[in-house]
Amino acid sequence: MQRLIKIFLLLSALSWVSHANGQDMMLSEQSVSVQFLSDSMHIAPGKFGFNTIRIFNHSSESKTFRVKMSLPSGWSLLRDLPASTEVRAGEENILSFRLKPGDHSFGGKPYPVIIDLEDALTGEQIRRYIRVVLSQINNWDIKLLNPVIYVGDDEALPNFSFYLYNHGNRYELFEVDLTSEFMLTLPSKGTQILLGPATDTLITVGVRSRQLNQLEDNIVINVASRGTSKTLQQRILISPSEFKANPSDKYILPLSLRWQANGMSKYNFSQILNLSGDVEFENGSFLGIRSQSFIFNDKYDARFSYHSLAYRGKKARVEVGSVQDFFQSQIFGIGGRVGYHFGSKDFEVLALRPTFYQGISLGFRQSFSLKNAITNETEAYYSVNKDNGVTSSYVENSLNLRNKKLRLRIGGGLSNEKAEKIGISENGYSLNCALASVQKWFSVQSNVRITSSWFPGTARGLNFQNHQALLHLGPLRLGGFANTNTRTPSLYKNDFTEYVEQTTFQNTDYGFQFGSKIGDGLLTAKAGEHYQLQNVGLSSSNSLLNSPVVGKKLSLNYFRRGRFGDQVVQLNMVRAGMEKEGQELGLFNTYNASVSGKVKSLGFNLKYEYGPFYYFDYLYYDRTSTWQNRQQYALFWSSSQLKRLKTRLSANYYRTSQGNVNMLNTQAEVEFDFPSREMSFSMTNTVNVLNPKNSYFVSVAFYKTFNLKLPFKKYHTLRVRLFKDSNANNTWDASEQPLKGANLIVNGQRLRTNSKGEGVLKNIKNDNYVVDLKESRNIMGWLPDKLSSDTIQFKKDTEVSLAFKESKTIHGKISLKTSDYSLTTKLDLSGMLIIAKNQNGQEFTTLTTENGEFNFNLFSGVYTVQMPASITGTKYYFEELTKTVNLQQQKSESIEFQLIEKKRKLNIRRSVD
């Protein structure tokens, strides 16, 4: 059947063509010719198609023809052709016409336009046709129906819609992708929509579900066609009627518990229990508790506990219980400290009974600013140790100057120490200064700390100096350095009945240094003299128990801060030997190289030492003649890709050339994290795989936070009621209607009123709260008494009623008037900014809908409604740009603005004989 239909259509087409040819022959015999100016036409987008028909009468008598033109569906003529035309003998007649293609016509497709001429006397017909092709155009657009959608937390999840326009003259296949944290009714990818020429469609998407406590989302709508794409953002705001700023209205003490156990047997087992927490009060002060217990294994049978309670306010601070601090040495005991801060001044006193010996410790600190850049600091300490009979005290003071290019510190102190068992009282001193200055052409850095042999603390008898000076020559740094670190304290021996002053260590390096930037890294090099000495044990005098190491040292250091971690390369060469009295100095070379860095989650540390490097290496070689090389290779890897699981693995291989040390330590740590429960658990396993029997070690840790409610109220509730003030007394009356579904913002928090007209903020602190009512101006017939915002001074549970007054409305519309020869079929009138200005100069704005409609919600008054002239472009203009509306006597007013299309200029072309 289909085959027969195809044959029939083919025969019909052939007969039509032969009929047309037959008419041509007949016209030729009768001496009548018909001709188009152009046998084919190409019409550009937005243009008319112009052509003419030339009819020539070769006969000896006049002829009258009836004229009929057949156009494709939807096409039209700018002006209709005459129903008939007369052509005199031996003359010609020309008919001009302009074609307007149909809106839904396809570009690139040939369309036939047929003209039939019928001889009014004989009835003979003459048919001519032309081929018309429209230029192809791809033009499409998308637009949101409502870019921002507000919905209440207790209301149904909303739908959103967007228009898809095909302004071109081809079929367009659109691919729509949606990106959202909401669950939508359309899939995120793969939605396809086919639109014909000059057609549009409205696509509506529903929000199916949302995550818990998700109150907003920017939905990204991406539409693509023929290699181009356009993107929109649909904003959906879900406003609760009640918002809790904090979980509870009571003070919360977050108490953190951490328990850790180490080891696997009773000889290496230990436990640590840590309990801590801080609570913040309404005035900004803090109260904190700390409790730690250390329980060691049966081999040591040792227990140690630490418990403290601390308060910190804006000015004062107090801590009682177990107190630890550092006053030239670590101190720990039972007692307390009190501090006070005001302005640039700060004071603190401390008193405690030491834990590890019988006695007392007292401390004092103070600091204040002399000028903006100068501060003064003082520290004093007094200690009595009844176990060894030693009483010590000191006071130190320093001045500090700091500005953009210079830092300077100068200080010193005095001390006294009494030893009852020896019967001495010795005075001491300390000096300290520091200088750091960076200028354009040079930089200087110097640190000095010198204490006498009787000055108390871990720095007793210390001489520490570090100096560096560099010239800045572009990216190069050239200069010198000098470092020394020597300690010669007075040390007690024989149960504090004797003492001796002895050098315990002395290290000195000085020489030249060079630095330069290489790529993203920094290369530094140092070369100079090298000196090392360490003594072990006490002699009867200050004689050296060991011989020093002297020689020269060269070091290179390259540092680069990469994307995933620091990369460091170090090279050292030392030519040195042990200097012995009466013996020739024997020098030999040793080398040290190390490389460390990190690539993403993988870290590495490689180290190789050829010969002695540290002082005791030289001492071991001197006494045993054993040359040792050491090598160490370490890898570590960490991963936190899983939400609740973190993994850390490491392997560390260490070996000496003599084989007396050979180990491969591996460590695996796994941590499970449960954020919602504020809890975590970790386990670490360490073992030397080359000797697993005696090296297996396990550590487990558990962490949990308990939020304890205290019986004190910290937060309060604010209720904001919006109501229709029908009697205009600014007071809410029981008979007045609440405003349900109104949007308001309180200190940045978005709310939507419930059926009682209330927006509620719970568990909020005392403060000033600004209620923003700008988004409630769209309630037709009612306006907030205060158009923008209102400030509430909030101290306790408060309920505030804000009045909405009866308003008046302006309903407006923009109508489009097209020109006589317009090609415009539909114009999007949405998004035009309309301004209404009252007699006080206050402006109000609104936007038009797709149909050009707009509304104003205003108080009584006279308003000038204005159309910005810039929005019309070059093709249109407003008949009137402003209209005056009087809302003093009437409740509403309707106005209309006419948008007029400018007339097209036609270029009339005429045929030439």
Side-chain angles (χ1 to χ4, degrees):
M1 183 66 181
Q2 293 180 352
R3 187 176 180 182
L4 292 176
I5 293 175
K6 292 180 179 179
I7 294 173
F8 173 76
L9 294 175
L10 178 61
L11 292 175
S12 299
L14 291 174
S15 65
W16 182 85
V17 173
S18 63
H19 174 72
N21 292 334
Q23 290 294 329
D24 290 343
M25 292 174 61
M26 180 181 66
L27 290 173
S28 176
E29 293 174 356
Q30 295 179 357
S31 300
V32 177
S33 63
V34 179
Q35 185 180 4
F36 282 102
L37 177 64
S38 176
D39 292 336
S40 63
M41 298 174 63
H42 282 81
I43 302 178
K47 301 292 184 180
F48 295 108
F50 174 80
N51 211 334
T52 62
I53 305 170
R54 183 171 180 261
I55 307 171
F56 192 87
N57 185 1
H58 299 282
S59 67
S60 57
E61 57 183 10
S62 297
K63 290 183 177 291
T64 300
F65 297 95
R66 298 185 183 94
V67 181
K68 179 182 179 183
M69 180 171 280
S70 300
L71 300 175
S73 176
W75 290 44
S76 62
L77 293 174
L78 189 61
R79 289 180 180 174
D80 292 334
L81 290 174
S84 63
T85 182
E86 180 181 1
V87 184
R88 295 179 181 179
E91 295 184 6
E92 68 177 13
N93 199 357
I94 296 176
L95 302 178
S96 300
F97 63 91
R98 288 180 180 271
L99 286 174
K100 179 181 179 182
D103 298 332
H104 301 282
S105 300
F106 290 92
K109 175 184 175 181
Y111 286 90
V113 174
I114 303 171
I115 186 166
D116 290 308
L117 300 178
E118 182 181 350
D119 192 320
L121 182 62
T122 65
E124 295 176 324
Q125 290 186 349
I126 306 170
R127 170 170 287 186
R128 289 289 184 268
Y129 72 95
I130 57 174
R131 182 175 177 268
V132 182
V133 178
L134 305 181
S135 299
Q136 290 185 337
I137 178 175
N138 300 322
N139 184 13
W140 60 275
D141 201 3
I142 53 175
K143 191 168 188 177
L144 285 168
L145 184 64
N146 188 359
V148 182
I149 297 176
Y150 301 96
V151 64
D153 193 23
D154 55 349
E155 299 177 29
L157 293 174
N159 298 331
F160 64 92
S161 302
F162 60 95
Y163 282 101
L164 185 54
Y165 303 94
N166 182 9
H167 300 304
N169 56 17
R170 306 174 64 182
Y171 270 116
E172 294 287 350
L173 179 63
F174 299 96
E175 293 188 0
V176 180
D177 294 340
L178 303 174
T179 303
S180 174
E181 294 183 4
F182 291 138
M183 181 69 70
L184 305 177
T185 55
L186 275 185
S188 59
K189 291 183 179 295
T191 301
Q192 293 185 332
I193 299 172
L194 183 65
L195 290 182
T199 57
D200 59 67
T201 184
L202 179 66
I203 303 170
T204 299
V205 183
V207 178
R208 182 179 298 170
S209 63
R210 61 187 174 98
Q211 298 177 9
L212 185 64
N213 297 327
Q214 184 184 0
L215 298 178
E216 63 179 274
D217 191 20
N218 286 325
I219 302 173
V220 179
I221 306 168
N222 186 77
V223 180
S225 179
R226 299 185 188 273
T228 62
S229 63
K230 298 182 180 182
T231 301
L232 298 174
Q233 280 199 0
Q234 173 69 64
R235 185 164 174 79
I236 295 181
L237 300 173
I238 301 176
S239 303
S241 60
E242 181 180 294
F243 174 76
K244 283 187 177 182
N246 293 281
S248 173
D249 62 346
K250 300 294 192 297
Y251 281 102
I252 300 294
L253 174 62
L255 202 58
S256 300
L257 171 68
R258 180 177 179 84
W259 173 81
Q260 181 174 338
N262 306 308
M264 288 298 293
S265 68
K266 64 179 181 179
Y267 298 107
N268 64 6
F269 184 76
S270 62
Q271 296 183 72
I272 301 174
L273 183 63
N274 187 349
L275 196 64
S276 62
D278 292 293
V279 58
E280 181 183 4
F281 294 102
E282 200 169 355
N283 59 2
S285 60
F286 288 84
L287 181 66
I289 62 172
R290 300 287 185 275
S291 178
Q292 291 180 330
S293 297
F294 303 87
I295 305 173
F296 294 94
N297 52 64
D298 293 344
K299 182 178 179 180
Y300 297 101
D301 192 22
R303 295 173 180 266
F304 176 64
S305 298
Y306 173 90
H307 312 284
S308 71
L309 179 66
Y311 169 80
R312 185 175 76 253
K314 292 183 178 179
K315 293 184 178 181
R317 58 187 182 274
V318 179
E319 182 181 4
V320 294
S322 301
V323 178
Q324 59 180 351
D325 210 323
F326 187 86
F327 281 83
Q328 301 301 322
S329 62
Q330 192 74 30
I331 61 173
F332 183 81
I334 304 299
R337 79 171 90 222
V338 177
Y340 192 77
H341 177 85
F342 59 97
S344 63
K345 299 178 178 62
D346 189 88
F347 299 89
E348 183 178 88
V349 294
L350 174 145
L352 57 86
R353 178 173 59 82
T355 300
F356 302 108
Y357 60 87
Q358 294 293 322
I360 188 173
S361 296
L362 303 175
F364 169 79
R365 291 191 182 97
Q366 69 88 27
S367 65
F368 60 90
S369 297
L370 299 175
K371 292 184 178 181
N372 292 335
I374 301 177
T375 59
N376 181 83
E377 296 178 352
T378 304
E379 182 177 281
Y381 180 70
Y382 175 80
S383 173
V384 177
N385 189 333
K386 295 182 179 180
D387 292 346
N388 58 27
V390 175
T391 301
S392 59
S393 61
Y394 74 86
V395 59
E396 278 193 315
N397 193 82
S398 65
L399 289 174
N400 298 274
L401 170 65
R402 180 187 294 264
N403 56 37
K404 292 183 178 180
K405 293 188 176 181
L406 176 66
R407 288 184 296 171
L408 177 63
R409 184 182 74 249
I410 301 176
L414 298 174
S415 69
N416 178 266
E417 186 165 292
K418 296 179 181 180
E420 295 181 359
K421 295 182 180 181
I422 306 177
I424 60 172
S425 176
E426 298 289 342
N427 295 324
Y429 66 88
S430 70
L431 297 173
N432 70 86
C433 63
L435 171 66
S437 178
V438 179
Q439 305 295 328
K440 182 178 181 181
W441 298 106
F442 69 92
S443 60
V444 178
Q445 182 175 330
S446 180
N447 289 282
V448 177
R449 172 71 173 172
I450 300 174
T451 59
S452 65
S453 62
W454 285 104
F455 197 87
T458 56
R460 189 185 191 99
L462 180 68
N463 183 356
F464 172 82
Q465 299 185 43
N466 177 281
H467 309 283
Q468 175 181 279
L470 295 174
L471 289 176
H472 299 178
L473 304 176
L476 301 180
R477 300 290 186 268
L478 297 176
F481 69 94
N483 304 321
T484 183
N485 190 4
T486 303
R487 188 168 182 232
T488 308
S490 295
L491 303 175
Y492 294 102
K493 63 179 186 177
N494 297 332
D495 195 22
F496 292 86
T497 59
E498 298 180 56
Y499 75 93
V500 61
E501 184 176 317
Q502 178 173 309
T503 300
T504 57
F505 61 82
Q506 181 177 351
N507 301 313
T508 302
D509 292 279
Y510 60 90
F512 298 97
Q513 73 178 51
F514 159 86
S516 176
K517 288 185 176 180
I518 299 180
D520 297 333
L522 177 64
L523 175 67
T524 58
K526 292 183 178 182
E529 298 295 324
H530 181 63
Y531 182 96
Q532 291 187 75
L533 171 66
Q534 290 193 39
N535 282 327
V536 179
L538 297 178
S539 64
S540 58
S541 64
N542 193 20
S543 60
L544 298 181
L545 299 179
N546 296 323
S547 300
V549 175
V550 296
K552 301 182 183 301
K553 182 178 180 180
L554 172 66
S555 64
L556 297 174
N557 188 335
Y558 179 75
F559 174 84
R560 177 178 177 273
R561 177 151 291 170
R563 179 181 176 185
F564 302 105
D566 298 340
Q567 320 292 331
V568 181
V569 179
Q570 291 181 326
L571 300 174
N572 296 287
M573 187 192 78
V574 179
R575 181 171 178 78
M578 300 204 73
E579 185 179 51
K580 296 184 178 181
E581 187 175 353
Q583 297 183 14
E584 184 179 354
L585 179 63
L587 301 176
F588 53 88
N589 295 338
T590 63
Y591 305 93
N592 175 282
S594 66
V595 179
S596 62
K598 190 176 183 182
V599 180
K600 293 187 177 181
S601 298
L602 179 65
F604 59 90
N605 186 6
L606 313 177
K607 189 174 183 181
Y608 183 81
E609 295 177 0
Y610 176 80
F613 186 74
Y614 304 102
Y615 177 79
F616 286 106
D617 297 339
Y618 283 94
L619 190 63
Y620 179 76
Y621 175 68
D622 179 68
R623 294 180 179 180
T624 65
S625 299
T626 301
W627 184 273
Q628 287 202 96
N629 300 330
R630 286 177 291 215
Q631 50 189 314
Q632 181 179 2
Y633 312 106
L635 294 175
F636 51 91
W637 174 83
S638 62
S639 174
S640 58
Q641 296 180 353
L642 298 179
K643 186 176 181 180
R644 296 182 178 179
L645 177 64
K646 297 179 182 178
T647 306
R648 287 177 285 270
L649 303 175
S650 66
N652 189 345
Y653 176 73
Y654 180 79
R655 183 179 182 275
T656 62
S657 59
Q658 299 301 318
N660 54 346
V661 179
N662 189 21
M663 64 179 65
L664 176 58
N665 290 327
T666 60
Q667 185 178 84
E669 181 179 354
V670 178
E671 180 180 347
F672 298 93
D673 190 18
F674 305 94
S676 60
R677 298 178 179 269
E678 297 185 82
M679 181 174 65
S680 66
F681 173 80
S682 64
M683 182 175 180
T684 305
N685 179 20
T686 305
V687 63
N688 177 11
V689 297
L690 301 181
N691 184 19
K693 184 177 180 181
N694 299 319
S695 64
Y696 192 76
F697 187 83
V698 174
S699 174
V700 295
F702 173 79
Y703 173 85
K704 171 66 178 172
T705 297
F706 300 93
N707 293 312
L708 305 180
K709 291 183 181 180
L710 302 181
F712 310 106
K713 192 169 184 178
K714 181 179 182 180
Y715 301 114
H716 305 278
T717 298
L718 172 63
R719 295 180 181 272
V720 180
R721 179 189 294 110
L722 307 183
F723 70 98
K724 298 178 180 179
D725 191 12
S726 302
N727 56 13
N729 64 353
N730 287 325
T731 302
W732 178 69
D733 302 317
S735 60
E736 291 176 324
Q737 294 182 1
L739 279 174
K740 178 185 177 182
N743 297 307
L744 64 154
I745 300 175
V746 184
N747 275 22
Q749 175 58 48
R750 192 178 303 276
L751 297 172
R752 190 175 178 91
T753 57
N754 55 23
S755 58
K756 298 180 181 179
E758 293 178 343
V760 183
L761 285 178
K762 283 193 171 184
N763 304 338
I764 57 176
K765 62 182 181 180
N766 293 340
D767 203 348
N768 289 336
Y769 287 82
V770 178
V771 181
D772 189 344
L773 299 173
K774 292 179 181 178
E775 295 182 359
S776 297
R777 291 181 47 83
N778 58 352
I779 302 174
M780 286 298 148
W782 297 92
L783 275 175
D785 184 35
K786 296 187 177 180
L787 291 178
S788 57
S789 62
D790 197 1
T791 300
I792 301 171
Q793 294 182 348
F794 177 72
K795 291 185 177 180
K796 292 184 178 181
D797 290 348
T798 304
E799 184 175 291
V800 177
S801 297
L802 300 180
F804 274 61
K805 306 293 186 180
E806 278 195 88
S807 63
K808 300 184 178 183
T809 57
I810 298 176
H811 303 286
K813 180 176 176 58
I814 298 176
S815 60
L816 176 64
K817 181 180 179 181
T818 59
S819 64
D820 294 337
Y821 310 116
S822 175
L823 289 173
T824 301
T825 57
K826 185 177 181 182
L827 183 64
D828 184 7
L829 298 174
S830 65
M832 292 186 177
L833 180 68
I834 315 299
I835 301 172
K837 184 183 295 185
N838 62 17
Q839 291 176 317
N840 297 324
Q842 190 175 10
E843 291 187 352
F844 306 91
T845 61
T846 188
L847 297 176
T848 57
T849 65
E850 185 186 15
N851 297 324
E853 298 177 350
F854 60 89
N855 293 285
F856 281 103
N857 195 27
L858 305 166
F859 283 130
S860 177
V862 178
Y863 294 87
T864 300
V865 182
Q866 179 179 338
M867 294 287 167
S870 59
I871 67 176
T872 60
T874 59
K875 295 178 63 178
Y876 304 92
Y877 67 94
F878 278 108
E879 186 179 35
E880 295 178 276
L881 287 175
T882 61
K883 287 183 181 291
T884 301
V885 180
N886 191 338
L887 294 179
Q888 292 176 329
Q889 303 298 328
Q890 48 193 6
K891 193 170 184 179
S892 65
E893 178 73 19
S894 295
I895 59 175
E896 183 175 353
F897 287 89
Q898 194 168 67
L899 183 63
I900 302 174
E901 184 181 21
K902 296 179 180 178
K903 292 184 178 180
R904 293 176 57 91
K905 294 181 180 180
L906 299 180
N907 182 19
I908 305 297
R909 296 179 295 172
R910 301 187 180 278
S911 60
V912 181
D913 293 338

